[in-house]
Amino acid sequence: MSAVREVSHEASQARRAEVAAALSRTLPRQSVLVDREALKPYECDGLSAYRATPLIATIPADENEVAAVLAVARETHTPVVARGSGTGLSGGALPLADGILLSLAKFNRIVAVDPLARTARVQPGVTNLRISQHVAHLGLYYAPDPSSQIACSIGGNVAENSGGVHCLKYGLTVHNIARVRAITIEGDIVELGSDALDTQGYDLLATVTGSEGLLAVILEVTVKLLPKPEVAQVVMASFGDVESAGDAVAAVIGAGIVPAGLEMMDKLATRAVEGFVHAGYDLEAEAILLAESDGSREEVAHEIAQIIEIMKASGATNIRCSRDDAERLRFWSGRKAAFPAVGRISPDYYCIDGSIPRGALAKVLKRTEELSARYGLRCANVFHAGDGNLHPLILYDANIPGELDTTERFAADILELCIEVGGTITGEHGVGIEKINQMCSQFRPAELAQFHAIKAAFDPEGLLNPGKMVPTLHRCAEYGAMRVKGGALPHPDLPRF
Ligand SMILES: Cc1cc2nc3c(=O)[nH]c(=O)nc-3n(C[C@H](O)[C@H](O)[C@H](O)COP(=O)(O)OP(=O)(O)OC[C@H]3O[C@@H](n4cnc5c(N)ncnc54)[C@H](O)[C@@H]3O)c2cc1C
């Protein structure tokens, strides 16, 4: 991508030198990056249309070093943005030009595994997939599986409350963690949650999960592990139109079945993917559904038969069932690679993430198609249909003047549509800077004021990831005025709390 929104203002060298000097008093030289070249890899996360060079980047190696970074942040009144692997799609890890970028990359140890309790204590920089690989010999795995699981960190997963294909049956990150060890901006180490199923007092574990780096820096996570199911099988069904596929999703759930995964891809997406991974998708279908069942052999055989019957009754034109695990993984490989695959048919793509009631799927897909025609931009749909979690991928070219603005207006309309049908503006990717305007539509001023109050209770000076996730009321007033005029408020001037 060549045309990007540069959100940074040129940070003064004097300020950089001041913060660097303060950091170098307590941190080893290799843990502090100041050169522009060295800072480049931290300029953006997965929302690459937005970029900023951080004032400074730090890569602490242990908890004492994290505490030292936060102490300098307090002393010098410098904001801090925590970063895991930088795969976030909502700009949560976008650095601040006047801020410290705090990378947790060196926190990459699996500290302990308890097979009896079925838990693992892991540092935040450990990748999602590595946890399952590490405990596979025990017949265990970690259920939430973002498509980015090969790269994304568990700290980032907790901060975003990430989901994945298997979250329909097994829940999001918040349902699969027991405890978090974190450090507040004031340097206090807090242990949230417990090894038991419940804890006394407010549920601060849930509060910090999904808090996008605004409340505390996560230092360790105790994840819950599950026994690997005996078998898993996938049904792949083709449909002549997306509405019928949407109805089939509602019918599966309405029949009381909770598939291990229930995903939809439309024709634009399957065509992009097939040339890339050769997953065996039906390229004539307007939409395909992938429905997985897992459990004992008997359970799976029964559930798969039920799913096939429902797909047929909903008008499926073609149905295939994975014959072995290799074929099951091949069917999923296309879905998992869908985002990068779409990147092959368009110079740029913008991934949206909204949730809607399952019953509204057909209506929302139809309206998205109409918006696509109105804005003159193609839109591929790849999503967690069972959870009603949409991921429209708008295809655009950042080199064409104004096309990013049009894309953002299109994206804003889809998110507003999600709210209109009773849904939410994020299913798993978080708000970051990307959806900060739509927070104004989703929540009333009194609710936003409560969010600010929670932020202030953890971080009175507003130094942790300011300007993300929770909009100021002033920003909401501006956004409201722009919507009335039919325009869109560009995302970042990164307002401060
Ligand atoms: C191709 C692709 C597919 C994806 N598929 C999915 C999917 O299926 N489901 C899904 O949910 N997401 C998906 N994502 C989005 C992304 O991978 C997740 O949001 C992931 O959890 C981000 O993890 P990360 O380590 O990259 O975090 P980052 O991007 O580094 O950070 C994300 C947020 O977490 C905060 N943060 C990170 N580490 C810490 C910490 N230790 N303490 C406090 N705050 C912290 C950051 O400040 C930021 O706000 C996908 C992304 C890509 C690029």
Side-chain angles (χ1 to χ4, degrees):
M1 173 178 308
S2 50
V4 293
R5 291 198 192 286
E6 283 281 352
V7 296
S8 71
H9 56 267
E10 204 44 61
S12 81
Q13 286 302 329
R15 179 90 175 111
R16 179 170 284 135
E18 179 201 347
V19 179
L23 286 166
S24 65
R25 280 196 281 278
T26 40
L27 264 78
R29 181 196 291 242
Q30 68 271 18
S31 298
V32 183
L33 307 177
V34 285
D35 295 342
R36 219 181 154 86
E37 278 300 295
L39 296 174
K40 202 129 193 78
Y42 303 103
E43 272 183 352
C44 68
D45 61 6
L47 184 71
S48 55
Y50 290 87
R51 292 176 191 215
T53 307
L55 187 69
I56 238 162
T58 57
I59 320 176
D62 58 33
E63 291 188 0
N64 290 335
E65 290 188 16
V66 174
V69 172
L70 299 183
V72 168
R74 287 195 310 275
E75 280 162 28
T76 58
H77 305 287
T78 310
V80 178
V81 178
R83 179 181 172 108
S85 304
T87 66
L89 291 169
S90 54
L94 178 76
L96 301 175
D98 57 351
I100 299 171
L101 191 288
L102 172 59
S103 164
L104 279 304
K106 288 186 188 162
F107 282 70
N108 59 3
R109 265 187 330 112
I110 295 183
V111 181
V113 176
D114 184 341
L116 284 185
R118 288 192 192 144
T119 56
R121 279 172 47 213
V122 300
Q123 291 191 321
V126 171
T127 61
N128 171 295
L129 186 60
R130 213 180 115 212
I131 300 174
S132 292
Q133 288 171 338
H134 188 82
V135 297
H137 69 287
L138 299 168
L140 299 172
Y141 78 114
Y142 176 64
D145 55 345
S147 300
S148 53
Q149 66 184 149
I150 193 169
C152 65
S153 74
I154 191 71
N157 289 181
V158 173
E160 297 287 12
N161 190 18
S162 295
V165 163
H166 289 98
C167 292
L168 174 61
K169 184 166 178 179
Y170 296 107
L172 297 167
T173 302
V174 71
H175 307 112
N176 287 278
I177 56 173
R179 184 199 274 263
V180 158
R181 179 179 169 85
I183 182 165
T184 66
I185 186 70
E186 283 162 341
D188 297 324
I189 301 277
V190 289
E191 298 274 353
L192 309 172
S194 77
D195 295 334
L197 283 181
D198 193 17
T199 350
Q200 65 287 358
Y202 293 119
D203 189 351
L204 295 179
L205 178 63
T207 306
V208 163
T209 308
S211 65
E212 302 191 18
L214 269 76
L215 301 185
V217 177
I218 296 157
L219 297 171
E220 190 182 288
V221 184
T222 303
V223 299
K224 297 177 189 170
L225 303 170
L226 292 177
K228 276 189 91 163
E230 189 186 343
V231 282
Q233 205 172 5
V234 176
V235 173
M236 180 160 68
S238 313
F239 291 85
D241 55 85
V242 282
E243 289 80 11
S244 310
D247 290 341
V249 170
V252 169
I253 304 293
I257 302 168
V258 185
L262 183 50
E263 302 281 310
M264 192 194 294
M265 295 170 75
D266 70 9
K267 196 177 198 169
L268 189 53
T270 51
R271 290 195 165 193
V273 159
E274 195 54 27
F276 185 35
V277 289
H278 312 294
Y281 293 160
D282 176 352
L283 297 182
E284 296 315 311
E286 288 301 324
I288 64 162
L289 287 181
L290 292 166
E292 178 163 295
S293 171
D294 66 7
S296 69
R297 277 181 201 289
E298 298 71 24
E299 281 167 343
V300 170
H302 178 66
E303 205 167 81
I304 289 284
Q306 279 183 300
I307 292 172
I308 289 176
E309 276 317 304
I310 293 171
M311 297 290 174
K312 280 184 188 161
S314 305
T317 52
N318 191 13
I319 296 178
R320 285 169 64 194
C321 208
S322 60
R323 286 162 297 187
D324 52 33
D325 223 41
E327 190 168 44
R328 179 180 74 86
L329 294 175
R330 191 155 62 81
F331 287 173
W332 280 126
S333 66
R335 166 62 187 91
K336 294 249 174 191
F339 294 1
V342 163
R344 292 174 78 234
I345 60 164
S346 170
D348 302 286
Y349 71 90
Y350 191 103
C351 174
I352 306 164
D353 160 50
S355 275
I356 55 166
R358 277 179 290 255
L361 261 181
K363 175 181 170 184
V364 170
L365 291 174
K366 182 108 201 77
R367 289 271 295 276
T368 303
E369 216 177 294
E370 288 161 11
L371 287 170
S372 167
R374 190 201 305 163
Y375 284 107
L377 292 171
R378 292 181 298 164
C379 180
N381 283 291
V382 181
F383 59 97
H384 309 307
D387 320 33
N389 182 195
L390 306 176
H391 291 322
L393 301 167
I394 302 175
L395 312 189
Y396 73 103
D397 184 349
N399 284 316
I400 299 176
E403 202 153 287
L404 179 55
D405 296 322
T406 310
T407 302
E408 286 179 342
R409 279 202 297 278
F410 184 178
D413 281 356
I414 294 177
L415 294 176
E416 295 288 343
L417 175 59
C418 291
I419 299 172
E420 186 189 310
V421 299
T424 65
I425 57 166
T426 171
E428 54 182 19
H429 294 171
V431 174
I433 54 155
E434 185 215 359
K435 307 182 192 95
I436 195 157
N437 292 334
Q438 285 74 38
M439 286 290 279
C440 306
S441 305
Q442 183 96 68
F443 295 102
R444 286 171 299 168
E447 292 168 314
L448 292 173
Q450 294 304 321
F451 289 155
H452 285 293
I454 292 172
K455 165 78 173 158
F458 277 83
D459 175 19
E461 279 193 65
L463 290 176
L464 288 177
N465 221 1
K468 314 282 180 70
M469 194 170 85
V470 189
T472 58
L473 298 182
H474 174 72
R475 181 171 194 93
C476 288
E478 270 187 86
Y479 180 61
M482 292 298 286
R483 293 289 297 173
V484 170
K485 283 192 221 147
L489 189 62
H491 297 117
D493 49 338
L494 296 183
R496 290 283 131 82
F497 288 105

